Amino acid sequence: MNDIKSIKLPLNLAIKYLSYRPRTVYEMQGYIEKKGFSEDIIKKIIEILLEQNHLNDKNFTTLFVESKVRNKPKSKFAFQYELKKKGVNTSIVDAVLEQYDDQDLALKAVRPKIRMWQNLDEDKFKKKMMNFLRYRGFNYDICLSTLNFFLESKDSIKEG
């Protein structure tokens, strides 16, 4: 009976923490730790949350990447970096990211910006796009091929 009382508060805190958005096991451990609970209680809370599927790093990673791809696409490298900081196992991250292609992500990231940049002179356009893509973690080759794709389509619009 005493065991249930000792985990009731940290469990409620953990569930409240999860109510804002999904978390990784690592994030949850850190949160409960900061609240000053013992290692045993932290382990027990994590165990309960995993059993009840409130914590699931694979689901978290999938939701995280899908949301970012939809709203603010970045490179696979950038996703790996962000998810590593959140304590997600590399094998989970790699499995989730294998369905994505950096070239597609770069095109998707740039499309909403094209209208804003379309009246810039070519040098400014190139600089804007290259900086934008580099900032989002795309490598130089991907940045260049994306730039060329849009420069070619810009030229075909002018000619048409």
Side-chain angles (χ1 to χ4, degrees):
M1 186 66 194
N2 198 19
D3 192 34
I4 292 170
K5 271 187 178 163
S6 68
I7 66 162
K8 192 170 181 167
L9 175 66
L11 185 57
N12 286 340
L13 286 169
I15 289 170
K16 186 174 188 224
Y17 187 55
L18 283 168
S19 71
Y20 302 109
R21 69 169 178 82
R23 309 286 177 171
T24 63
V25 171
Y26 176 79
E27 287 176 307
M28 184 57 74
Q29 283 171 328
Y31 176 76
I32 302 169
E33 214 172 272
K34 269 191 215 151
K35 295 289 180 188
F37 294 100
S38 72
E39 198 61 42
D40 291 343
I41 288 182
I42 294 170
K43 274 188 185 144
K44 186 73 180 150
I45 299 299
I46 298 294
E47 207 174 277
I48 292 168
L49 293 171
L50 285 168
E51 279 171 19
Q52 296 177 354
N53 209 27
H54 291 302
L55 279 183
N56 182 324
D57 281 0
K58 186 166 183 3
N59 289 350
F60 173 88
T61 303
T62 303
L63 289 169
F64 180 86
V65 171
E66 284 173 358
S67 169
K68 292 281 187 180
V69 165
R70 210 175 21 260
N71 301 312
K72 200 171 184 178
K74 295 179 178 180
S75 68
K76 288 166 69 166
F77 174 79
F79 286 137
Q80 286 167 330
Y81 177 76
E82 279 187 57
L83 289 160
K84 189 176 187 154
K85 282 196 328 192
K86 292 182 177 297
V88 179
N89 187 309
T90 309
S91 61
I92 293 173
V93 175
D94 291 345
V96 169
L97 289 177
E98 80 182 358
Q99 65 181 310
Y100 294 98
D101 174 63
D102 264 350
Q103 187 64 68
D104 293 340
L105 290 169
L107 291 169
K108 194 170 171 49
V110 167
R111 278 211 170 88
K113 300 289 181 189
I114 291 299
R115 198 171 261 137
M116 250 183 347
W117 299 339
Q118 68 187 357
N119 296 324
L120 297 174
D121 66 65
E122 195 166 303
D123 286 343
K124 280 186 181 166
F125 179 83
K126 285 178 180 177
K127 190 174 176 156
K128 279 267 191 213
M129 186 177 292
M130 292 298 278
N131 287 341
F132 178 81
L133 290 170
R134 292 297 293 159
Y135 181 74
R136 283 204 154 75
F138 293 100
N139 71 36
Y140 184 76
D141 291 340
I142 296 287
C143 294
L144 204 55
S145 62
T146 305
L147 175 66
N148 289 331
F149 173 84
F150 282 104
L151 286 175
E152 286 163 19
S153 62
K154 210 175 171 183
D155 290 342
S156 65
I157 291 168
K158 284 178 187 168
E159 291 164 9

